[in-house]
Amino acid sequence: MPSYDFALILSRPLYEDELDPLFDRTHGAVTVSIISEPQHAERPGNASCSWQGATLAAAIMAVVEHVEASAPGLHVLQVEADPLLTIRDISERVGRSFDSVRLAITGARGPGGFPASEISTAGHRLWRWSKVAAWYGLEDPQLIEAKPTVQAINGWLALRDVVPDIAPAPEEVTSALSLVIPHVA
């Protein structure tokens, strides 16, 4: 079964006392933002993981269920399946040394025009995998599956939030996507 990398945007961060139930449900495979002060509960939280599933949709829906069941009142708002990567992550994915990737980023190696980092704070930079893969000329089947899957699941999450009475069950969404994704990807 393939392993999929994705992140979830949550209605709020988790409190420290909510970590044990999440850890028990996911065996520590989900990393989340936490808070210790109630005044910080108004900001969105996030969760990220690498999760095995028959499809990306099945993996996402499993983690959505685990995260929401572990913390009362917590809701997943959105999913992102085009991960942000460090230089080390990029080097592992493209099969190149750390220095080779670093030199490509600076323009000292390769054709130039390496994608700009998406996030750059305090000396830490992160790059969007789809842009890096395109720059290296790599086709990642998981990225092909990710675009329609994420779009459909984000639509379902929005529908569930606005009119929960008519939103289909997660299994129905996963089933519908499994019929369509082989034809899209």
Side-chain angles (χ1 to χ4, degrees):
M1 210 175 308
S3 183
Y4 296 95
D5 297 324
F6 55 91
L8 305 174
I9 306 301
L10 310 175
S11 58
R12 64 171 174 80
L14 278 76
Y15 290 100
E16 287 186 48
D17 61 348
E18 295 171 322
L19 294 178
D20 285 342
L22 179 62
F23 185 89
D24 292 344
R25 293 183 69 90
T26 65
H27 307 288
V30 176
T31 304
V32 296
S33 56
I34 62 169
I35 56 172
S36 56
E37 303 293 327
Q39 67 266 25
H40 297 126
E42 295 301 316
R43 65 179 186 219
N46 60 63
S48 61
C49 68
S50 184
W51 197 267
Q52 290 187 340
T55 63
L56 174 59
I60 291 169
M61 292 301 202
V63 174
V64 166
E65 178 185 345
H66 289 312
V67 169
E68 290 183 343
S70 69
L74 180 72
H75 300 286
V76 174
L77 303 176
Q78 199 171 12
V79 64
E80 173 61 60
D82 186 0
L84 293 171
L85 305 174
T86 64
I87 295 175
R88 187 154 319 281
D89 297 331
I90 293 168
S91 69
E92 289 173 10
R93 285 187 181 222
V94 300
R96 307 236 177 174
S97 71
F98 179 90
D99 284 333
S100 173
V101 173
R102 183 183 55 76
L103 291 170
I105 290 168
T106 63
R109 179 171 285 168
F114 196 88
S117 60
E118 298 283 323
I119 296 174
S120 182
T121 57
H124 298 285
R125 295 183 295 170
L126 299 172
W127 288 262
R128 182 77 54 200
W129 170 235
S130 60
K131 293 178 182 179
V132 171
W135 189 86
Y136 277 105
L138 301 173
E139 288 191 29
D140 183 342
Q142 289 188 10
L143 285 174
I144 296 168
E145 180 183 0
K147 187 174 181 178
T149 299
V150 166
Q151 188 175 9
I153 291 177
N154 282 338
W156 172 76
L157 288 167
L159 181 64
R160 182 184 77 154
D161 187 43
V162 176
V163 281
D165 295 341
I166 65 167
E171 304 80 33
E172 293 177 53
V173 175
T174 303
S175 177
L177 283 169
S178 71
L179 296 173
V180 175
I181 295 302
H183 304 291
V184 174

